[in-house]
């Protein structure tokens, strides 16, 4: 019963059988999922890509925390400049 949403009950109240209302809700969910997949694909194709591969002149505090000690040593000057902008 927990899988039966308010939208399904409204369809039942409109005269549809419970099975038909449930099938209609499932179809709506599948269509919405397919639409989201297509939109995500289109967004990936338009995207410039991840910024990790770009040469950063600024590092956020989270990025610095995620760095290994070798990465910190390699980027020390940029980290120091970045820290001036942290609040």
């Amino acid at each position: 019963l927990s899988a039966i949403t308010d939208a399904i009950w409204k369809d039942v109240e409109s005269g549809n059988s419970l099975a038909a209302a449930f099938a209609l809700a499932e179809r709506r969910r599948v269509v919405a999922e397919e639409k989201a997949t297509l939109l995500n694909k289109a967004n990936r194709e338009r995207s410039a890509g991840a910024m990790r591969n770009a040469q950063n002149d600024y590092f956020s505090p989270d990025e610095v925390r995620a760095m290994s000690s070798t990465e910190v040593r390699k980027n020390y000057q940029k980290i120091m400049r970045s820290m001036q902008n942290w609040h």
Side-chain angles (χ1 to χ4, degrees):
L1 287 176
S2 63
I4 301 174
T5 64
D6 290 338
I8 294 173
W9 285 122
K10 286 180 184 177
D11 283 343
V12 170
E13 291 171 358
S14 298
N16 292 322
S17 69
L18 181 58
F22 194 80
L24 182 60
E26 178 63 14
R27 180 66 185 144
R28 286 180 188 140
R29 185 194 65 77
V30 168
V31 168
E33 189 175 287
E34 289 171 350
K35 183 178 178 182
T37 300
L38 289 173
L39 287 173
N40 286 336
K41 181 181 179 212
N43 286 338
R44 271 193 306 276
E45 290 171 356
R46 290 187 320 193
S47 173
M51 291 302 294
R52 282 187 173 228
N53 296 336
Q55 187 68 19
N56 277 344
D57 286 333
Y58 174 82
F59 293 106
S60 70
D62 290 334
E63 288 175 315
V64 174
R65 281 188 213 102
M67 289 182 183
S68 67
S69 57
T70 304
E71 291 172 315
V72 170
R73 281 191 296 276
K74 178 182 172 189
N75 296 300
Y76 183 76
Q77 292 301 321
K78 290 179 186 178
I79 292 169
M80 295 306 291
R81 284 192 300 270
S82 297
M83 288 175 70
Q84 295 173 356
N85 296 316
W86 298 352
H87 297 270

